[in-house]
Amino acid sequence: MHASNDPDAPDAVKSRGSRAGSLPWRTVWFSLVGVTVVLALTGLLLGRETRLAPFLIVLPALFAGRGSVRQTVFASVWVNLVVIASLIDTPLDTLAADVGVVVFALVFTGLSVAGAAQRVRREGEIARLRSAAAALQRQILRPFPLLTDDLLVQGLYEPVEEDSRVGGDIYEVVDSPYGSRVFIGDVQGKGLSAISAAFAVLTAFREAAVSEPTLTAVVDALENSVLRHNSFAAQAGERERFVTALVLGISSGPEAQAINCGHVEPYILHGDQAGPALRHEPSVPLGLASLTPEPRTVEWFDFPPGSTLLLCTDGVTEARDAAGAFYPLEDRVTHWGEVAPRDIARTVHRELQQHTGGRPTDDTAVLVLRRRADTGSD
């Protein structure tokens, strides 16, 4: 199946980053030749002296903002040669004036080359940082599939490795003495500080899932972990964050329990029926329990053997197409009741790529939980 926990992904990002730092050479040639010809023809048709220098020297500056260093150098050489040729053909009033124009063109185009080099170096540093952040996310999240005595879990994890957009989508499945416990969450905000908060919550879940006998105690441990992290963040001058989360407890019975802390609702798929698994309104996200007097409570729901539960982050439900329309997850799940978990994850990935035109703007995490009817279930 497609799993984005891919050790080669940072290299792919580097490749995309290098391509983004240059323009097609056809564009470079067309721009230089086209502008030069247009200016020359304009001078001839208007019957006046053609002064190309004031117009052409801006071209290297334009290439410096989008093209590679090599392309900027090429444009600078072209412009300087054309300027010198134009002055030889139609010199100014004095030699000093001609020399001044040439010197000005050389200095301006040289600054354009220096600017392009600085921009490309800065973009390379950003690409390395965002690749490192995405690699860090992949290392703290286990690859699919995940197995427990009760569940087969397939899924999808797709970090957005663009600028500072790398976020804090997290998930975990633990086989505990109290049954299978599942966690999916989304840390508010983006960047390395969001990943730090994600790691704190994920570590707390892995510990609490095997030590706490009740699901409410597990969630209390997660709440405390967010509060502790926010306290350290405040001391360091960083922003405090909250975490939306969905925590499930699944054992041998036909029902499962859930506590939804402001997260995207789960969908139950069984046969030809599919829809939201929970009926109650979610409670507040982790880190915000003090804002409401209402305690978080467990909700039980039917989860019989052979059925499937779909969990995701808002990178799925809030993915938009070119017209701004959201990805219609609730409509799509109605067709997936008999589909294998790994095929559901593949389908979500393919449809999200199509829906966003291959340009998602948020991390994506999907968990597909199949309630195991027997240990040979696949």
Side-chain angles (χ1 to χ4, degrees), residues 20-74:
S22 64
L23 295 168
W25 277 99
R26 288 178 299 177
T27 302
V28 176
W29 276 103
F30 178 80
S31 300
L32 293 174
V33 175
V35 172
T36 302
V37 170
V38 167
L39 291 175
L41 290 177
T42 300
L44 291 175
L45 292 175
L46 295 179
R48 57 180 173 81
E49 293 182 340
T50 305
R51 301 301 183 192
L52 299 176
F55 302 96
L56 284 180
I57 59 174
V58 301
L59 288 179
L62 297 178
F63 289 123
R66 295 291 302 275
S68 66
V69 176
R70 181 179 299 179
Q71 290 170 338
T72 308
V73 170
F74 180 80

